Amino acid sequence: EPEVTQTPSHQVTQMGQEVILRCVPISNHLYFYWYRQILGQKVEFLVSFYNNEISEKSEIFDDQFSVERPDGSNFTLKIRSTKLEDSAMYFCASSEGVGRKILNEQFFGPGTRLTVL
Amino acid sequence: QQQVKQSPQSLIVQKGGISIINCAYENTAFDYFPWYQQFPGKGPALLIAIRPDVSEKKEGRFTISFNKSAKQFSLHIMDSQPGDSATYFCAASNAGNMLTFGGGTRLMVKP
């Protein structure tokens, strides 16, 4: 069964450093998302991406964050200058679409645990 | 208005019992209501979902009940098993856009 994959599974970084989290969405999916989950809390939406541009973003997704689809398979989340409060589990998700119509089901990857020291 | 409120935060059920988790929302534009199951260290996995044109959807031991007028929906797990022990999140979205998640319910099923 196709699945969303994410690398690395765990990333430890120093405060102020840049990190890039990588995702490979399901191959025929057109819509891509990043969510985060601070330990013990709910899953929070960060950003959605379609047709090589951001379609929606939350207040969390400030200028320190960026997303990119550098090739036909990868989808990345970059945090430019990490803060302690960026420590969380980051999940990538993808969903199918037909043209601009999204088919609702979002499939999540296993996550990257980001620890900022 | 974007919030989805979920209760209870934790739930302990005996094996074979019924687990019931409730969610309420405010945004009437929401048109898709999934439930996700999450095991420790794993990503959320889609369990079952419903759209507001039906009041109930059943898949195996899992049933969603939906009350559009009350803006509430719930997950029922029949014949709960120890393997069902996980955290359950309800969520809602509008036209397949961002999912707004509830706070989660940690379910423990005792053997």
Side-chain angles (χ1 to χ4, degrees), chain B residues 29-81:
Chain B
F30 286 147
D31 62 0
Y32 173 69
F33 303 89
W35 284 89
Y36 282 83
Q37 179 189 56
Q38 185 181 33
F39 292 104
K42 304 291 185 185
L46 181 64
L47 195 59
I48 186 172
I50 198 168
R51 296 178 198 278
D53 52 346
V54 296
S55 59
E56 187 174 281
K57 182 174 180 180
K58 185 175 181 179
E59 288 183 2
R61 295 185 294 109
F62 301 93
T63 300
I64 300 180
S65 297
F66 186 82
N67 186 330
K68 189 173 180 178
S69 60
K71 292 185 283 187
Q72 294 175 347
F73 58 110
S74 60
L75 175 70
H76 292 63
I77 306 174
M78 312 300 287
D79 186 28
S80 299
Q81 299 297 312

Side-chain angles (χ1 to χ4, degrees), chain A residues 33 35 37 41-45 56 89 91 95 102 104-110, chain B residues 31-32 36 38 41-44 46 51 89 93 95-99 101-103:
Chain A
Y33 311 84
Y35 292 82
Q37 184 179 30
Q41 298 186 22
K42 68 178 179 180
V43 179
E44 300 174 289
F45 170 78
E56 203 166 6
M89 197 77 162
F91 294 107
S95 61
I102 306 169
N104 291 106
E105 288 81 357
Q106 292 184 25
F107 297 88
F108 283 72
Chain B
D31 62 0
Y32 173 69
Y36 282 83
Q38 185 181 33
K42 304 291 185 185
L46 181 64
R51 296 178 198 278
F89 291 96
S93 78
N97 290 317
M98 56 174 275
L99 285 170
F101 281 83

Side-chain angles (χ1 to χ4, degrees), chain A residues 51-87:
Chain A
N51 199 26
N52 284 317
E53 60 183 27
I54 291 173
S55 50
E56 203 166 6
K57 61 182 181 178
S58 71
E59 292 175 352
I60 303 168
F61 194 87
D62 61 23
D63 291 344
Q64 293 300 310
F65 291 87
S66 62
V67 288
E68 196 177 35
R69 189 156 162 82
D71 53 43
S73 59
N74 289 283
F75 178 51
T76 62
L77 174 70
K78 182 193 290 186
I79 309 175
R80 243 179 293 281
S81 177
T82 50
K83 306 183 189 72
L84 295 176
E85 54 264 37
D86 293 329
S87 294

Side-chain angles (χ1 to χ4, degrees), chain A residues 104-117:
Chain A
N104 291 106
E105 288 81 357
Q106 292 184 25
F107 297 88
F108 283 72
T112 292
R113 179 170 298 284
L114 177 65
T115 302
V116 182
L117 302 176

